[in-house]
């Protein structure tokens, strides 16, 4: 079984995934901001689960907006366990509102969390993974990078950027035996803190100029819930289960992408078409080797 570091494990998909992987026998380092402060109750809950079920969940502090924090978390994992096999990039934040009402600085902050946090952790962990000649980077992306729903503009931008960063990084790290998996969850209006804790634009004056659209924004969660078939369970635990299934597959046989969507959005089909075109383009450039995992 693997030693796994997962970001954003205090709540939602990250929390569910940490528990699911531990139940499957993995050693899980569940990271979050402020495990002895703001997130102390959530850190304690994970430790209690580990003790009660006899599984290996260890809580480590990691703030993805800090390179020093990312470096320290990776150093802690390697010092304690002697190795690190899998990194799951899950930390993220949602904002809702009109694009014009968000300042450039607000959007930059969201990108700092949702996109640049990935880069910081990769910079912390890739020297170790390159040195060992194998490993897995698993990114929790979003179908919004394809569906681009209204009134989530900065979030869509940040997740699309994260997806592109994961993709182009995969070309380079594949040459060192490091595989990439991008899991793309669809919307889950319940079971995560995304909608309840979604951010809003600070410029209320500009937001007021769009007030004619407020009824549409107000029913965002309702509209999202309406996408699910009657009687279906829109529970994010299915994402945790899919991640656990994927990491249970042999190294080198894990899928590059996995869409976990219960809304019949057609993202699978769109991704298949784009992937075929992209891979053909890369091969015609003469760089086909970057599309294959090199086992060292």
């Amino acid at each position: 079984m693997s030693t796994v570091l997962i970001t954003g494990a205090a709540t939602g998909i990250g929390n569910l995934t940490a528990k699911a992987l531990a139940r499957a026998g993995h050693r899980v380092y569940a990271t979050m901001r402020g495990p002895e402060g703001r997130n102390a109750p959530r850190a304690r809950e994970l430790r209690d689960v580990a003790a009660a079920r006899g599984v290996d969940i260890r809580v480590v502090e990691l703030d993805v907006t800090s390179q020093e924090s990312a470096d320290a978390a990776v150093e802690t994992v390697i010092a304690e366990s002697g190795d690190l096999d899998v990194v799951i990039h899950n930390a993220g934040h949602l904002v809702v509102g009109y694009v014009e009402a968000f300042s450039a600085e607000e959007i930059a902050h969201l990108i700092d969390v949702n996109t640049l946090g990935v880069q910081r952790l990769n910079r912390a962990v890739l020297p170790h993974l390159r040195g060992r000649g194998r490993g897995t980077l698993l990114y929790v992306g979003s179908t919004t990078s394809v569906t681009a729903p209204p009134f989530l503009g900065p979030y869509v931008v940040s997740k699309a950027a994260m997806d592109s960063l994961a993709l182009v990084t995969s070309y380079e790290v594949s040459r060192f035996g490091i595989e990439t998996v991008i899991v793309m969850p669809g919307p889950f209006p319940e079971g995560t803190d995304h909608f309840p804790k979604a951010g809003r634009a600070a410029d209320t004056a500009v937001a007021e100029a769009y007030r004619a659209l407020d009824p549409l924004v107000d029913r965002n969660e309702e509209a999202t819930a309406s996408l699910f078939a009657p009687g279906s369970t829109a529970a994010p635990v299915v994402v945790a289960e899919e991640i656990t299934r994927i990491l249970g597959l042999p190294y080198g046989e894990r899928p590059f992408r996995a869409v976990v969507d219960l809304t019949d959005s057609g993202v699978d089909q769109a991704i298949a078409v784009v992937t075929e075109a992209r891979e053909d383009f890369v091969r015609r450039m003469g760089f086909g080797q970057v599309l294959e995992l090199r086992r060292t």
Side-chain angles (χ1 to χ4, degrees):
M1 290 297 172
S2 300
T3 298
V4 181
L5 181 155
I6 179 170
T7 64
T11 62
I13 290 172
N15 184 274
L16 293 168
T17 302
K19 295 172 183 174
L21 288 172
R23 287 195 301 271
H26 300 281
R27 177 187 295 125
V28 179
Y29 282 84
T31 75
M32 63 189 71
R33 291 181 296 169
E36 307 305 325
R38 59 181 288 179
N39 279 319
R42 289 168 175 140
R44 184 166 54 251
E45 186 260 347
L46 282 172
R47 293 185 181 113
D48 289 346
V49 166
R53 298 182 180 175
V55 297
D56 198 347
I57 303 177
R58 310 180 190 193
V59 178
V60 172
E61 182 165 15
L62 199 167
D63 178 353
V64 297
T65 65
S66 164
Q67 186 65 59
E68 291 75 15
S69 181
D71 292 342
V74 170
E75 289 171 6
T76 295
V77 172
I78 295 172
E80 283 190 9
S81 68
D83 209 352
L84 177 54
D85 305 288
V86 179
V87 170
I88 301 178
H89 294 288
N90 168 76
H93 184 55
L94 176 70
V95 298
V96 177
Y98 310 114
V99 174
E100 185 189 346
F102 289 93
S103 68
E105 290 74 21
E106 287 175 305
I107 295 176
H109 176 69
L110 189 68
I111 292 172
D112 193 33
V113 174
N114 292 359
T115 309
L116 299 184
V118 166
Q119 177 69 359
R120 292 186 184 97
L121 184 52
N122 276 350
R123 281 176 57 81
V125 75
L126 280 173
H128 172 71
L129 298 184
R130 281 189 282 104
R132 70 197 294 269
R134 63 182 288 164
T136 304
L137 300 176
L138 190 151
Y139 303 81
V140 180
S142 172
T143 58
T144 61
S145 59
V146 176
T147 59
F151 313 124
L152 303 179
Y155 178 77
V156 171
V157 168
S158 68
K159 296 304 281 189
M162 191 205 80
D163 191 285
S164 293
L165 182 63
L167 174 58
V168 296
T169 300
S170 76
Y171 295 152
E172 298 156 13
V173 301
S174 68
R175 298 290 79 205
F176 296 90
I178 302 166
E179 63 183 357
T180 295
V181 179
I182 304 173
V183 176
M184 302 176 70
F188 289 94
E190 298 178 2
T192 75
D193 279 349
H194 258 23
F195 277 105
K197 292 189 175 180
R200 299 276 178 165
D203 194 335
T204 55
V206 171
E208 175 65 18
Y210 287 85
R211 64 183 179 276
L213 298 177
D214 283 354
L216 300 181
V217 178
D218 290 343
R219 62 180 294 270
N220 200 345
E221 288 184 66
E222 177 189 345
T224 302
S226 72
L227 296 170
F228 295 87
S232 65
T233 303
V237 68
V238 297
V239 182
E241 291 169 349
E242 176 65 359
I243 291 172
T244 303
R245 183 193 72 80
I246 289 171
L247 292 183
L249 297 173
Y251 161 77
E253 297 180 21
R254 295 160 183 165
F256 186 80
R257 284 192 188 271
V259 177
V260 187
D261 181 33
L262 307 178
T263 67
D264 195 26
S265 65
V267 169
D268 283 285
Q269 296 94 317
I271 288 294
V273 172
V274 171
T275 298
E276 182 179 3
R278 174 180 61 82
E279 291 185 352
D280 176 68
F281 185 82
V282 171
R283 288 192 175 96
R284 287 193 294 115
M285 293 181 73
F287 296 151
Q289 65 267 34
V290 304
L291 299 173
E292 307 297 331
L293 180 66
R294 179 182 180 184
R295 304 194 191 202
T296 59

